[in-house]
Amino acid sequence: MARALGFDDSRRKLLPRTQILGTGSYAPARVVTNQDLEQLVDTSDAWIRERTGIQERRQAAPDEATSDLAVQASRQALEMAGVAPEDVDLIVVGTVTADMPMPSCAALVQAKLGARKAFAFDVSAACAGALYALSVADQFVRTGQVKRALVVGADVLSRAVDWTDRNTCVLFGDGAGALVLGAGSDSEEDASSAGGPENVAPRGILSTHLRTDGTLADILCIPAGGSRTPVTSDNVDANLHKLKMNGKEVFRFAVRSLVESTQTSLGAHGMTPGQVDHVIAHQANLRILEAVLERLEIPREKCWLNLHKYGNTSSASLPMSLDEAWRAGRIKRGDVIAMMAIGAGMAWGSAVVRW
């Protein structure tokens, strides 16, 4: 398993924190309700709500690809940040449903936005994609290699699920979320020596912690479509190009891993769960979130929830939730935000942000 990313203490004190300057999100117009799914598979609205907390989800239009959703969310984030596309230096997109195998979704987003000077690439961590992308972009900003970065989580999993499998097709929805990052004006060293009350604690991304356990790759995967098992007519007939999941194993691993990761992130800054003002999490299943919050002893009211209307939007979930919470006036300057996400790999992680 990979170790958590982070700078050593001596370097951290010399570097400004990365701050989130703008947020944006986009959900396709088409709403697919639980009642709609009752017409497709042997399920019911009550069954889905009880086991997942999901009531409806969004589905991309036939002419909408992942990059289209990503661009819509990105424009919102750039507008909020007051940053023009041509001033973006880096674009990192977390996705497992890029428009095509190559080039990257990020390259297409760069072109559509007109962000001509930005270098762009994708990261693949499934539902943890946006958190991984955030961590990567944070390193570039903190070390001064870029001034403005655009982080996007976007997926169109409606085209990757098996619509005859009631255990998976009810879970997923399409969407995109985006964050604009830039260097803050205060480093830890500045904050500790400053006299003003607003500078007592540094603002921005305090740290990110990423983990991977590839021995669990088979509990959540899309078997066909890569170099191991190219798509063939036989594979398509067997739906091997669609998402497969061992729900019970994913549930158990997710709860334990998210709790441990969040405790690690908070502990790195001498914080406890009681000091968290908000939880912004990837939302796969309400039961998973409730179990994690209970073990961390964080009230459910501190966690922004929207999976009832979007379902599991994969890498889009975390930035979409942050955007909604921020625009709703839920988050205030100085608030401590605990972020967490887990996806196929298994890949997971956490972050601590002071707004």
Side-chain angles (χ1 to χ4, degrees), residues 13 186-203:
K13 292 181 179 179
D186 56 321
S187 65
E188 281 194 12
E189 188 173 53
D190 295 334
S192 63
S193 61
E198 289 186 341
N199 292 323
V200 171
R203 296 174 54 236

Side-chain angles (χ1 to χ4, degrees), residues 129-337:
L131 186 58
Y132 268 60
L134 178 69
S135 181
V136 171
D138 177 38
Q139 315 305 313
F140 278 100
V141 174
R142 291 206 67 196
T143 55
Q145 295 185 65
V146 305
K147 292 184 178 180
R148 296 288 183 266
L150 175 64
V151 171
V152 184
D155 271 308
V156 180
L157 279 177
S158 63
R159 292 175 191 154
V161 298
D162 178 356
W163 288 100
T164 67
D165 178 7
R166 71 170 186 171
N167 294 311
T168 57
C169 74
V170 303
L171 300 176
F172 297 97
D174 304 334
L179 311 173
V180 176
L181 309 183
S185 60
D186 56 321
S187 65
E188 281 194 12
E189 188 173 53
D190 295 334
S192 63
S193 61
E198 289 186 341
N199 292 323
V200 171
R203 296 174 54 236
I205 300 172
L206 303 188
S207 65
T208 58
H209 299 259
L210 307 179
R211 300 293 299 276
T212 302
D213 187 350
T215 66
L216 298 173
D218 61 340
I219 69 173
L220 181 56
C221 65
I222 298 177
S227 61
R228 173 68 62 186
T229 309
V231 172
T232 65
S233 58
D234 289 341
N235 291 338
V236 171
D237 290 342
N239 272 329
L240 294 182
H241 63 306
K242 299 296 186 179
L243 185 147
K244 309 297 180 184
M245 182 176 70
N246 183 328
K248 291 182 179 179
E249 290 300 317
V250 170
F251 186 100
R252 283 195 288 264
F253 187 81
V255 173
R256 181 175 71 253
S257 300
L258 292 177
V259 170
E260 292 176 352
S261 183
T262 302
Q263 290 171 334
T264 297
S265 292
L266 293 171
H269 303 283
M271 295 181 181
T272 66
Q275 293 173 277
V276 172
D277 296 299
H278 309 282
V279 173
I280 299 295
H282 161 60
Q283 300 185 36
N285 183 301
L286 183 59
R287 286 183 171 182
I288 291 176
L289 285 176
E290 289 178 335
V292 170
L293 294 171
E294 180 180 359
R295 286 161 175 76
L296 290 172
E297 297 184 346
I298 296 177
R300 174 174 160 170
E301 293 72 28
K302 289 188 175 183
C303 182
W304 185 267
L305 296 172
N306 60 16
L307 85 165
H308 60 286
K309 59 180 179 178
Y310 298 129
N312 180 350
T313 54
S314 188
S315 61
S317 180
L318 189 149
M320 287 180 72
S321 299
L322 181 61
D323 179 55
E324 285 193 344
W326 173 233
R327 291 178 186 272
R330 181 81 167 264
I331 302 172
K332 305 182 299 297
R333 177 168 176 163
D335 283 352
V336 173
I337 303 172

